[in-house]
């Protein structure tokens, strides 16, 4: 079976259409800016800090650490001593429902809104052990 010029056109059109559609959906669903960062470790809330104030703090767990920074309304993990370093490579979070997770240090960061802007019924269900 040989691919024809029309087949390439259809495949290209569908690819561009699906990328544009996914971009539009992501922009529509992520319009809620959060203002509070919730920090959990071992399923316990250890801090809730506002995103409007630039700050940095160290979170320790079992001899290991994560350094969380809040700058320009966005939160991210700037440094950690875990082996995989996945948490340090994640994008800064600022919209309601966005998360950063460090599994080796059992750290869970989540952005939410204190004014109830997150009225979704499909909130994340999580279990950390």
């Amino acid at each position: 079976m040989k691919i024809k010029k029309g087949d390439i056109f259809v495949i290209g059109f569908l690819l561009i259409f699906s990328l544009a559609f996914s971009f539009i959906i992501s922009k529509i669903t992520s319009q809620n800016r959060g203002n509070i960062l919730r920090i959990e470790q071992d399923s316990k809330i250890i801090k809730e800090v506002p995103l409007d104030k630039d700050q940095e703090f160290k979170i320790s767990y079992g001899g290991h650490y994560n350094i969380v920074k809040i700058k320009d309304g966005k939160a991210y993990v700037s440094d950690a001593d875990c082996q995989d370093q996945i948490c340090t490579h994640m994008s800064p979070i600022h919209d309601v429902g966005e998360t950063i997770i460090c599994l080796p240090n059992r750290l869970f960061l989540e952005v939410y809104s204190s004014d109830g802007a997150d009225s979704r019924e499909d909130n994340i269900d999580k279990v950390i052990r």
Side-chain angles (χ1 to χ4, degrees), residues 1-11:
M1 187 163 99
K2 192 173 185 179
I3 296 178
K4 299 177 184 169
K5 197 175 194 178
D7 295 337
I8 293 174
F9 176 73
V10 169
I11 292 169

Side-chain angles (χ1 to χ4, degrees), residues 58-101:
K58 185 176 184 177
I59 300 169
S60 299
Y61 178 80
H64 298 284
Y65 69 90
N66 292 76
I67 296 178
V68 177
K69 285 189 180 181
I70 298 174
K71 185 173 182 180
D72 300 328
K74 297 178 181 181
Y76 61 97
V77 177
S78 65
D79 189 27
D81 67 344
C82 54
Q83 286 183 325
D84 55 15
Q85 296 287 306
I86 292 173
C87 57
T88 61
H89 298 296
M90 295 182 78
S91 299
I93 57 176
H94 54 81
D95 289 334
V96 172
E98 291 183 324
T99 61
I100 294 177
I101 299 170

Side-chain angles (χ1 to χ4, degrees), residues 8-67:
I8 293 174
F9 176 73
V10 169
I11 292 169
F13 173 76
L14 290 174
L15 182 65
I16 291 170
F17 179 75
S18 63
L19 289 174
F21 189 69
S22 67
F23 179 75
I24 291 169
I25 293 296
S26 70
K27 287 298 178 188
I28 290 172
T29 59
S30 66
Q31 293 297 322
N32 295 335
R33 294 282 294 206
N35 60 352
I36 302 289
L37 176 69
R38 177 179 293 147
I39 302 168
E40 295 181 25
Q41 202 159 39
D42 272 342
S43 299
K44 296 177 185 124
I45 298 173
I46 57 172
K47 270 188 182 185
E48 288 186 347
V49 293
L51 287 174
D52 59 356
K53 181 181 173 189
D54 292 354
Q55 51 189 317
E56 174 181 330
F57 40 91
K58 185 176 184 177
I59 300 169
S60 299
Y61 178 80
H64 298 284
Y65 69 90
N66 292 76
I67 296 178

